[in-house]
Amino acid sequence: MPDSYGRVTFPVTPVDPVPPILITGGRVIDPANDIDDYLTVALSGGTICAVGKKIPEGFEAGVTIDAKGMWVVPGLVDMHVHLREPGREDKETIASGTMAAAAGGFTAVACMPNTTPALDEESKIRYVVQRSEGCPCRVYPVGAITEKLEGEKLAPFGEMVGAGAKAFSDDGRSVSNSYMMRNALNYSKSFNVPLICHCEDHDLTGQCHMNESAMSTRLGVRGIPSIAEEIVVARDIMIAEYTGARVHIAHVTTAGAVQIVREAKSRGAHVTCETCPHYFVFTDEDLATYDTNKKMNPPLRTPRDRAAVIEGLSDGTIDVIASDHAPHCSEEKDVEFAAAAFGVIGLETSLAAAITHLIDTNVLVPSHLVEKMSVAPNRVLGLQGGTLAASSVADITIIDPSCEWSVDSSRFFSKSRNTPFEGLTLRGAARYTILGGRIVFERR
Ligand SMILES: [Zn+2]
Ligand SMILES: [Zn+2]
């Protein structure tokens, strides 16, 4: 491991005894229980035993964490990451990705099925679950909607749910065939798991590499129009409403898409959505230098779209912040813009980007951030975290909201370096990540 910025415990061996932990002096932010106060948190035996003004009687701490100046929050969840295993272990593995996640303050991630081979059957879901044992972050696999993500034949939802799949998605592609999408939504409804929709009209995006705008004209790059996203967002929500199923729209980036989701929610549709830090930090104007580490799909949009995404985060239209962590090796990024792979990493910068660009700018208050990075993703995926209530599992993130640091990807735990934040100064970081009552990450 190069000179990293903190220590990740890996592997996490379940036989080790977990010493009781006392967290004192921190600002406890637990929106699920309507708590935002300076309280003491006591953990024992892997669960939360008490949150209150005083140390519980008879509690003997093995470890005491002084959390003065810090936020103590339910473990963060990133519901959209690509761990690349199986198939592209040169870019990331479940081990390296979960180390990056723990260092980013996440106690759980949901991983997308576009691996090689795709996660489209029970045995492959089991493989991911098995490989994630002992990792410093929980891993919840997302199963494929269609076999090999080809859009032709539905994957076996029931078996995959039985093996641990928490949602279905053909992420990286849309299910183009509306009949297939209708069937998929009907099935997902019967298993009460959401479909996570990557919304892209592929007929409008072929051979395109950035957002279609005055900027793409200036740079001479073929552009992806905003309607390529919006048409499919509208269609998927319409089919979800027709079938009564739940749908979660991945990586919302355009003003139009935000408005479509807002209107659907006001009609009572079962729709939730996410955006990613790069969409509320950057715009297509940041592509003037053809930086391939700012090339992703959907692409960075216009300043107007960015403003609409921020408005959507502020008014609650956008439920979740997820990274769409997409590791690529340098051979796929150190090439001309048109040849470069789509995707950027985000696990180790998500929290800081959100604090710097949403909290410090007064778009969100801290409890809203915790809502979008813990409570809501837990709720969408039907997980048990997102709360600091007594006797819940002790997955906790302790955040230093004011430390400033400069992004240096050579120190990342991720195997890949394709971050759009390289060299930028951000504020805020996970200081401790606690998984099942055990400290799995400690920042230097
Ligand atoms: Zn996607
Ligand atoms: Zn993705």
Side-chain angles (χ1 to χ4, degrees), residues 80 82 169-173 197-200 250-251 297-298 324:
H80 190 146
H82 298 269
S169 181
D170 272 2
D171 187 45
R173 296 193 60 80
C197 299
H198 170 113
C199 295
E200 173 179 356
H251 41 53
N297 184 23
D324 198 1

Side-chain angles (χ1 to χ4, degrees), residues 85-271:
E85 187 179 347
R88 289 307 304 265
E89 288 84 352
D90 55 324
K91 298 182 181 190
E92 199 78 283
T93 60
I94 292 170
S96 66
T98 52
M99 287 170 82
F106 297 99
T107 55
V109 297
C111 64
M112 288 295 167
N114 61 338
T115 46
T116 323
L119 309 180
D120 60 358
E121 59 180 14
E122 184 184 359
S123 64
K124 291 164 190 157
I125 300 291
R126 274 197 207 294
Y127 173 82
V128 170
V129 170
Q130 218 167 51
R131 296 285 291 169
S132 68
E133 274 166 25
C135 285
C137 175
R138 299 179 202 283
V139 176
Y140 296 106
V142 176
I145 297 173
T146 63
E147 287 182 8
K148 298 181 182 164
L149 311 176
E150 285 174 344
E152 304 282 330
K153 189 164 181 283
L154 277 190
F157 284 16
E159 291 164 24
M160 290 194 285
V161 168
K166 296 294 177 193
F168 295 103
S169 181
D170 272 2
D171 187 45
R173 296 193 60 80
S174 276
V175 176
S176 303
N177 182 323
S178 300
Y179 174 74
M180 187 70 63
M181 194 62 188
R182 176 185 177 176
N183 282 344
L185 280 161
N186 271 325
Y187 275 112
S188 68
K189 184 183 162 196
S190 63
F191 294 108
N192 192 29
V193 291
L195 284 201
I196 301 175
C197 299
H198 170 113
C199 295
E200 173 179 356
D201 183 326
H202 297 283
D203 296 326
L204 287 168
T205 61
Q207 306 301 312
C208 297
H209 301 281
M210 65 175 287
N211 182 50
E212 182 175 88
S213 66
M215 198 64 194
S216 62
T217 308
R218 213 182 95 198
L219 296 179
V221 175
R222 274 183 68 169
I224 298 171
S226 53
I227 51 168
E229 177 172 331
E230 292 152 7
I231 287 167
V232 183
V233 170
R235 183 204 68 165
D236 287 353
I237 291 174
M238 286 171 80
I239 305 174
E241 285 186 273
Y242 192 77
T243 55
R246 277 200 294 152
V247 75
H248 178 83
I249 308 296
H251 41 53
V252 166
T253 71
T254 76
V258 173
Q259 185 56 24
I260 291 165
V261 173
R262 185 180 284 124
E263 287 168 11
K265 285 187 166 189
S266 72
R267 298 193 291 273
H270 298 303
V271 56

